[in-house]
Amino acid sequence: MEWLIAIVIGVMTATGVFLTLRARTFPVVLGLTLLAYAVNVFLFTMGRLNTGLPAVIDATQPGYADPLPQALVLTAIVIAFGMTAFLIVLALKARSELGNDHVDGIHLAEDEESLKSTVPPKKAIKRSGEIE
Amino acid sequence: MNFFEFNLPIVALLPFLGAIFAAYSAKFNRLTAAYTSAFFTILALAILSPSLIAVFAGETVVQSWPWIENIGLFFAFRLDGLALLFALLILIIGLLIIIYARYYLAHKDSMGRFYAYLMMFMGSMLGIVLSENILQLVIFWELTSITSFLLISYWQHRKDAREGARMALAITGAGGLALLGGVLLLGHIVGSYQLSDILLQAELIQSHQYYEITLVLILLGVFTKSAQFPFHFWLPNAMAAPTPVSAYLHSATMVKAGIFLLARFFPVLSGTEIWTWLVGSAGMLTLLIGAYTALFKHDLKGLLAYSTISHLGLITLLFGFGTQLAAVAAIFHIINHATFKASLFMVAGIIDHETGTRDMRKINGLIKYMPHTAALAIIASLAMAGVPLLNGFLSKEMFFAEAVSASQASVLAWMIPVLVTIAGVFSVAYSLRFIHDVFFNGEPQGLSKVPHEPPRFMKIPVDLLVIVCLAVGILPMYTVAPILQIAVTGTLQTTPPEYSLAIWHGLNLPLIMSILALGLGTLIYFRRKYLIRNYERHEHISAKSLFMKTIDQLFSFSINVSRSFDKGSLQNSAAWIIFASIVITAYGFLSFNSPLLGDRELMQLDVVSLIIGIIIVMASIYTVIWHRQRLVSLVVLGVIGLVISLIFIKFSAPDLALTQISVEVVTIILLLLALYFLPQKTPREVGKSRLYRDLALSVISGVGVTLFTMMIMSREFDPISSYFLNNSVPGGGGTNVVNVILVDFRGFDTLGEIVVLALAGIGIYAMLQNLTLPAPCNDIGGRIWSKDSHPVILRTFSRLMMPIMIMVAVYIFLRGHNLPGGGFIAGLIASVALIVMYLANGIDWTQQRLRVDMHLTIGFGLLIATSTGLVAIGLGYPFLTSAFSHIHWPLVGDFELASAIAFDLGVFLVVVGSTVLSLVQLGKLSVISHEKQANYNDGLSNSREVR
């Protein structure tokens, strides 16, 4: 079982690192999210693996899982969310300032085809008050 | 508590308070800034004045409070004669400058900013002269560097102002660093940073092995600040500041800070050969260079700047002589220089103000247009030249006398009187130029306006200063003698030697030197044309250009160094970071001698876990494989997050599972919203080699992390958490240990974390302000987005589900202390509930019904969390100590109420606020973008480009 978890962490790290090294912001954000998963599970395993021993005080229970890594990971998950949210908005900001989503902020002469495709067709649809 | 036991810190800190009020009051009326500053200055004088009696009685007032005792830092202030003299100079001349600047500044100049800077500078200067603790002195010293930078660069739109300010900051800042070193060594030698202790230890300090290095470091601070050769060149470039600033900084304050320090440490550092050489030669060179260069400056302020340098050199040279009488002369000259130089700078400002130029080749014959100002300038200049019956004459005579008595010191010392006489000659010549070239010498040339007398109140400060020059010059015994006496006592820390302030000492060598200087100086002035031509031929060799060149070279050097590491590519940097971590970890692995795996009994693998593991592995890999199709990879990523929550459930972490699953939902919604504004596909743009490099890095990282995790998990360990398990119920009043750790044992950490979350939320809000991005009208397959954005079924169900989800959140929140749950999880569930409402019904609809400002929610959350901690402090417990008791609720039963639940409520609110704020802002973005697009289309129907 330990091997399985270790391999899971390893694979998430590897894929996270690979995506972090991409040239566009969105894959980088995905990569960092994957890395965050890996780190969270890794931190969690520092308390070793236990089944059926939640850290809720109960006299009938034979023992408890280590609550400290759990407390750390709980906040880590929430902070990772904050970081992801901040990063992705930073990516949006970068795209709005630079016209493309390259991580190095290079001013490409011509943005990718998708930006052109955002030029709306003849009939603009006026909508308001929604989230797609 | 007696008020006179803590008035000194108030004097030093009051100007800072004044700065705030000055800046604020300028919002209502620009002139109130001046009045506010004047008020605070007068107030500081009033608070200082009661202590005058003690100081004039010969006492030293020390007011000290421990600050960081174990590094020797005290919040300590001291008032002796020297400090009092400087404090009065700073405050009184400061007051005059405040009045003067009110008329000097133009309408477009921001009064509030000017006076705020000026007051902060005044406070910093007062801090230096009133400090008892020398570490605290260094803090104020740095503050003067920073505030003078702000003052010099006050006209930010001017390049010369910015460059001058930067140069002043670079040089005085570097000197400040050296001074800090010197001060630390001095404190180390003495074992105390209090001046009262240090000033008694002259022998100990001078015999210590670190004496030389301490002296050099402190002198570096002094010389840079007081513009001594070879650091003098920042001062003329600081003339780009508004003239009131120059008048203040270069007469009584900034440059005198160095001189003050020289006087302060005079009793303990002077008297050695190295002191005489270093201080004396720096002073002499500065004196000569300043006096010589001043004559050739066509700019009025340039002339005054070099004259200031020369007079600072004179004072430094006097301290360099190292005798007690020389110190008397130095202190006397500090007073005199402050009065005549401040008035001359103000005159220069008046002339600039009334003629529009400071070029002495253009301004001539002004005596006809402004006779009053001319009279003031002539008297002040004569004082600067050292003409009898004016204050400059007295201290100059004392200076010449000291030079003569120093001439017996060594074989070459006969040169001293000769050199100082030469300096005297030039100082007469440039003073004469200030008088003759400006007020006589024909008619003004090419002025844009006809000059006339300035407003009355602009002259009053000059009037007062010139009266002081005259009064001190004619009746020294009845004017300056008492303050000079106590200032000298304060400097020397003993009873000063006998000295005479009489005007007539008989026909002696110093008087002959004076006469010689006056005669030759006049001669040189009238032969100046030849000299000026000669000077201009080699003017390009200046210390400034050398400095600029050095700075440029330093810049290009550091740019080259950073370029060789940072190629401006995030990918590159990230790869290096990962590579470096791999190298460091590999070193760790290689130097690890025990077997790779420990002997802890491993857990049996079961089929369900295996399937879950395989799902995560497959999903991770497919996230990478499909990463060019962004939507698909995002969906696959969501699978991983959800499945990880199963891992947490399996291995006894229900809190984590709940958190993970709710965070996952929010994250994916957020990324989906953002993806709407990003390209839907990632282009292929890397070469094969780059791909292999990245693959190698990631595979090595993955293998390394796997092995590392296994090494840890296969070993037994001794957890530190038994304390938490044992004390959770008796100490924290809750059975859910994870939650008790979060809100109680490690509550401070949690507080920090929710602050980060709050910052992220507000940061996102700030970044999305005024951001517009073109919204795509069709998806990746060319299909137009559905117009039916709020399907009826979703809408109906969301409204039905809303109360249930909120109820679940409340339940999870309340039980959190004892069972899995708590503020974080409840906050996330509530956020999901709210976000679903926004999604299903639209922002407008929801906000009409949910009139809650998420900023306020975040703020209240932080407030509640912090105040529960503060309540504990108020009751005398450490920050964030919790209390709890059991209460009986009807129906619900026995219920435990811990103060930690209030803290948890804070956590809850911050989580809800940040999450909803981020997502709703992102949602609003799409609304705005669509509206823009629609407007855009209406306006320009045939355009092809959006940006």
Side-chain angles (χ1 to χ4, degrees):
Chain A
M1 186 70 91
E2 274 82 357
W3 273 110
L4 179 74
I5 299 298
I7 289 168
V8 163
I9 296 172
V11 171
M12 288 196 293
T13 311
T15 48
V17 166
F18 184 81
L19 285 180
T20 308
L21 292 170
R22 296 305 88 208
R24 299 295 169 143
T25 49
F26 194 75
V28 172
V29 173
L30 291 191
L32 288 172
T33 311
L34 267 170
L35 270 180
Y37 291 151
V39 170
N40 288 340
V41 179
F42 172 78
L43 283 179
F44 172 66
T45 59
M46 293 301 99
R48 306 300 184 273
L49 301 180
N50 298 286
T51 48
L53 300 173
V56 177
I57 302 296
D58 179 358
T60 61
Q61 211 171 283
Y64 301 104
D66 192 346
L68 197 57
Q70 295 194 15
L72 292 179
V73 171
L74 200 153
T75 49
I77 293 173
V78 181
I79 294 287
F81 161 70
M83 188 199 70
T84 309
F86 194 80
L87 265 180
I88 194 73
V89 174
L90 204 58
L92 289 186
K93 185 88 181 166
R95 193 188 187 212
S96 131
E97 300 278 321
L98 302 167
N100 65 73
D101 67 338
H102 199 282
V103 286
D104 296 342
I106 304 163
H107 281 274
L108 298 177
E110 197 65 41
D111 198 12
E112 57 286 325
E113 80 295 338
S114 55
L115 193 58
K116 269 191 246 157
S117 77
T118 59
V119 175
K122 281 273 148 48
K123 266 200 288 177
I125 310 138
K126 185 143 186 164
R127 288 180 285 189
S128 61
E130 73 211 272
I131 297 179
E132 263 77 4
Chain B
M1 202 180 191
N2 188 346
F3 176 69
F4 302 120
E5 285 167 13
F6 58 91
N7 63 338
L8 294 183
I10 294 179
V11 172
L13 299 181
L14 203 58
F16 289 101
L17 189 70
I20 298 171
F21 277 98
Y24 185 71
S25 65
K27 274 169 64 174
F28 306 108
N29 180 343
R30 60 194 299 272
L31 295 183
T32 49
Y35 304 136
T36 314
S37 307
F39 169 75
F40 273 93
T41 314
I42 293 169
L43 193 63
L45 268 171
I47 294 174
L48 179 69
S49 54
S51 301
L52 257 64
I53 305 159
V55 176
F56 273 100
E59 286 176 45
T60 298
V61 184
V62 174
Q63 297 168 355
S64 174
W65 295 268
W67 189 352
I68 309 176
E69 265 180 280
N70 43 358
I71 63 163
L73 179 59
F74 285 75
F75 186 65
F77 292 84
R78 168 195 185 90
L79 189 73
D80 57 10
L82 181 65
L84 178 67
L85 169 68
F86 270 91
L88 289 178
L89 281 178
I90 292 162
L91 284 168
I92 295 172
I93 295 189
L95 187 60
L96 298 179
I97 297 286
I98 287 168
I99 299 169
Y100 174 81
R102 177 235 171 285
Y103 293 93
Y104 178 85
L105 289 180
H107 262 284
K108 59 181 189 298
D109 297 327
S110 157
M111 281 267 187
R113 197 157 61 82
F114 180 85
Y115 280 103
Y117 292 166
L118 194 74
M119 293 304 280
M120 285 195 288
F121 178 76
M122 182 189 282
S124 321
M125 277 306 300
L126 285 172
I128 292 183
V129 300
L130 294 176
S131 277
E132 153 79 359
N133 189 286
I134 52 176
L135 289 176
Q136 180 193 309
L137 187 149
V138 173
I139 296 173
F140 283 112
W141 181 279
E142 288 297 311
L143 275 175
T144 59
S145 294
I146 295 166
T147 45
S148 65
F149 168 81
L150 292 173
L151 280 171
I152 296 169
S153 63
Y154 173 71
W155 283 321
Q156 296 155 336
H157 55 276
R158 280 171 45 181
K159 187 163 179 283
D160 59 336
R162 294 196 302 269
E163 279 182 353
R166 202 175 62 188
M167 191 186 284
L169 183 69
I171 292 174
T172 56
L177 212 59
L179 176 70
L180 176 63
V183 158
L184 288 175
L185 280 174
L186 194 63
H188 173 74
I189 294 171
V190 179
S192 161
Y193 291 97
Q194 301 287 84
L195 276 172
S196 309
D197 300 326
I198 293 168
L199 292 178
L200 299 173
Q201 300 288 351
E203 277 172 40
L204 173 74
I205 293 167
Q206 296 192 4
S207 59
H208 198 277
Q209 51 169 337
Y210 291 151
Y211 168 69
E212 281 82 10
I213 178 91
T214 310
L215 179 67
V216 168
L217 286 172
I218 291 180
L219 287 182
L220 274 174
V222 168
F223 290 171
T224 48
K225 201 74 155 186
S226 288
Q228 296 295 300
F229 180 83
F231 308 110
H232 62 284
F233 53 90
W234 69 261
L235 200 150
N237 289 297
M239 288 298 139
T243 304
V245 172
S246 311
Y248 197 37
L249 261 61
H250 304 137
S251 65
T253 55
M254 172 86 166
V255 292
K256 291 285 169 67
I259 300 290
F260 168 80
L261 210 63
L262 219 48
R264 186 87 281 177
F265 290 131
F266 184 77
V268 289
L269 293 179
S270 75
T272 59
E273 200 158 307
I274 176 170
W275 165 279
T276 309
W277 274 106
L278 285 177
V279 181
S281 51
M284 179 64 94
L285 281 168
T286 315
L287 169 69
L288 288 168
I289 291 173
Y292 173 74
T293 317
L295 178 60
F296 305 113
K297 291 292 154 190
H298 299 303
D299 178 9
L300 270 179
K301 279 176 80 180
L303 184 150
L304 291 177
Y306 277 97
S307 142
T308 302
I309 292 176
S310 139
H311 281 274
L312 292 168
L314 187 156
I315 298 168
T316 309
L317 177 58
L318 276 169
F319 279 116
F321 288 148
T323 62
Q324 295 198 327
L325 273 173
V328 175
I331 299 287
F332 192 20
H333 199 67
I334 289 173
I335 306 174
N336 296 336
H337 178 246
T339 50
F340 67 67
K341 195 48 68 65
S343 46
L344 284 175
F345 267 117
M346 289 197 221
V347 167
I350 290 175
I351 293 171
D352 187 10
H353 200 254
E354 301 305 327
T355 63
T357 177
R358 300 194 313 243
D359 192 331
M360 277 186 279
R361 286 166 299 192
K362 288 186 187 164
I363 36 179
N364 307 101
L366 287 187
I367 193 156
K368 273 179 283 183
Y369 302 96
M370 34 173 78
H372 185 152
T373 310
L376 297 175
I378 290 168
I379 298 171
S381 304
L382 291 177
M384 177 161 76
V387 170
L389 294 183
L390 291 161
N391 59 355
F393 171 74
L394 294 173
S395 47
K396 202 158 221 175
E397 283 294 282
M398 287 166 97
F399 168 58
F400 283 160
E402 285 311 306
V404 170
S405 60
S407 64
Q408 277 103 42
S410 69
V411 193
L412 283 173
W414 59 267
M415 281 173 61
I416 296 175
V418 177
L419 288 174
V420 300
T421 312
I422 293 173
V425 169
F426 276 98
S427 117
V428 169
Y430 69 67
S431 303
L432 212 52
R433 182 162 187 208
F434 196 98
I435 300 170
H436 182 259
D437 222 358
V438 175
F439 296 104
F440 304 95
N441 201 15
E443 278 294 305
Q445 287 165 16
L447 292 187
S448 52
K449 50 186 173 183
V450 180
H452 57 81
E453 288 282 350
R456 197 161 138 247
F457 275 93
M458 214 165 163
K459 281 182 301 193
I460 284 182
V462 193
D463 285 337
L464 293 172
L465 287 169
V466 168
I467 289 169
V468 172
C469 289
L470 279 165
V472 171
I474 299 168
L475 297 166
M477 287 312 290
Y478 301 100
T479 49
V480 79
I483 182 91
L484 180 62
Q485 179 71 14
I486 60 156
V488 170
T489 316
T491 308
L492 300 174
Q493 294 292 309
T494 60
T495 319
E498 284 293 312
Y499 58 89
S500 156
L501 287 178
I503 300 166
W504 178 252
H505 287 117
L507 188 68
N508 53 10
L509 201 50
L511 188 64
I512 293 171
M513 285 159 74
S514 273
I515 294 168
L516 214 60
L518 283 172
L520 283 176
T522 317
L523 197 67
I524 282 191
Y525 171 68
F526 286 105
R527 306 284 296 167
R528 69 186 183 281
K529 288 220 165 60
Y530 167 74
L531 280 167
I532 289 175
R533 216 179 306 129
N534 185 42
Y535 172 83
E536 278 169 353
R537 226 173 292 145
H538 57 91
E539 202 188 7
H540 59 278
I541 315 164
S542 70
K544 185 197 171 185
S545 59
L546 204 68
F547 173 82
M548 293 309 251
K549 220 166 154 185
T550 320
I551 289 285
D552 283 346
Q553 277 167 354
L554 272 174
F555 269 127
S556 56
F557 174 71
S558 53
I559 287 169
N560 281 340
V561 170
S562 359
R563 282 275 156 75
S564 60
F565 290 101
D566 173 17
K567 307 236 186 290
S569 157
L570 182 74
Q571 283 179 283
N572 199 41
S573 315
W576 273 108
I577 290 171
I578 291 162
F579 179 73
S581 340
I582 290 175
V583 169
I584 294 166
T585 324
Y587 175 77
F589 269 114
L590 292 176
S591 53
F592 187 68
N593 295 322
S594 325
L596 195 62
L597 297 184
D599 45 12
R600 187 173 188 264
E601 199 186 332
L602 296 185
M603 207 183 276
Q604 206 63 42
L605 188 66
D606 60 84
V607 183
V608 179
S609 306
L610 185 65
I611 293 172
I612 285 177
I614 290 172
I615 291 177
I616 297 183
V617 170
M618 296 300 288
S620 305
I621 291 171
Y622 273 102
T623 309
V624 169
I625 292 177
W626 289 335
H627 82 269
R628 294 192 191 286
Q629 298 164 30
R630 294 182 170 182
L631 184 63
V632 181
S633 62
L634 181 58
V635 171
V636 182
L637 185 82
V639 171
I640 306 174
L642 292 177
V643 175
I644 283 178
S645 64
L646 293 180
I647 294 190
F648 288 139
I649 289 184
K650 164 90 180 162
F651 298 112
S652 333
D655 287 281
L656 292 192
L658 282 170
T659 315
Q660 176 69 39
I661 204 161
S662 36
V663 163
E664 195 55 37
V665 173
V666 182
T667 309
I668 297 296
I669 295 175
L670 180 91
L671 290 180
L672 277 172
L673 283 175
L675 184 56
Y676 180 64
F677 294 100
L678 289 170
Q680 304 300 309
K681 277 185 178 166
T682 305
R684 197 178 287 276
E685 58 189 346
V686 287
K688 276 267 187 288
S689 61
R690 171 73 66 93
L691 197 67
Y692 290 138
R693 182 199 74 180
D694 293 351
L695 272 176
L697 284 177
S698 41
V699 168
I700 295 171
S701 314
V703 171
V705 169
T706 305
L707 290 178
F708 185 47
T709 315
M710 257 333 274
M711 284 164 74
I712 296 170
M713 279 203 291
S714 61
R715 285 175 163 77
E716 286 296 341
F717 78 127
D718 187 19
I720 57 168
S721 46
S722 54
Y723 170 83
F724 300 120
L725 290 166
N726 293 335
N727 287 289
S728 177
V729 176
T735 53
N736 181 8
V737 188
V738 177
N739 184 266
V740 175
I741 290 177
L742 283 177
V743 299
D744 193 333
F745 295 126
R746 308 295 304 165
F748 213 166
D749 293 354
T750 311
L751 184 62
E753 272 142 6
I754 58 173
V755 170
V756 173
L757 199 63
L759 286 177
I762 291 167
I764 288 169
Y765 176 77
M767 276 199 291
L768 290 177
Q769 289 297 73
N770 301 323
L771 181 84
T772 44
L773 275 166
C777 285
N778 39 21
D779 75 351
I780 195 164
R783 288 164 296 224
I784 294 190
W785 291 102
S786 163
K787 275 179 257 180
D788 183 15
S789 46
H790 307 305
V792 176
I793 296 177
L794 180 62
R795 218 156 59 197
T796 317
F797 266 98
S798 71
R799 292 177 198 179
L800 276 176
M801 289 296 286
M802 171 83 177
I804 300 173
M805 288 175 81
I806 294 294
M807 202 173 71
V808 170
V810 171
Y811 171 68
I812 291 275
F813 174 78
L814 285 177
R815 74 172 206 167
H817 218 45
N818 291 313
L819 289 164
F824 275 114
I825 301 164
L828 287 163
I829 294 174
S831 311
V832 172
L834 292 176
I835 289 162
V836 166
M837 291 307 285
Y838 280 103
L839 277 175
N841 302 293
I843 291 177
D844 290 345
W845 186 93
T846 316
Q847 274 189 339
Q848 275 168 12
R849 284 151 187 85
L850 185 74
R851 296 183 181 279
V852 182
D853 187 347
M854 286 304 157
H855 291 89
L856 285 182
T857 313
I858 297 177
F860 270 118
L862 286 178
L863 190 69
I864 291 172
T866 318
S867 46
T868 45
L870 291 177
V871 166
I873 289 191
L875 296 174
Y877 294 100
F879 188 59
L880 284 173
T881 307
S882 74
F884 60 91
S885 72
H886 295 263
I887 50 169
H888 189 80
W889 278 9
L891 294 177
V892 182
D894 215 13
F895 185 80
E896 195 180 85
L897 195 67
S899 74
I901 207 161
F903 182 78
D904 223 8
L905 180 65
V907 174
F908 173 84
L909 291 176
V910 172
V911 171
V912 172
S914 303
T915 316
V916 175
L917 186 66
S918 320
L919 271 85
V920 170
Q921 282 307 312
L922 213 48
K924 275 186 184 161
L925 182 62
S926 81
V927 177
I928 296 165
S929 297
H930 275 295
E931 279 168 3
K932 283 235 162 171
Q933 216 162 43
N935 295 340
Y936 179 84
N937 256 46
D938 294 344
L940 291 159
S941 53
N942 58 348
S943 166
R944 294 289 305 149
E945 289 289 326
V946 167
R947 289 176 58 85

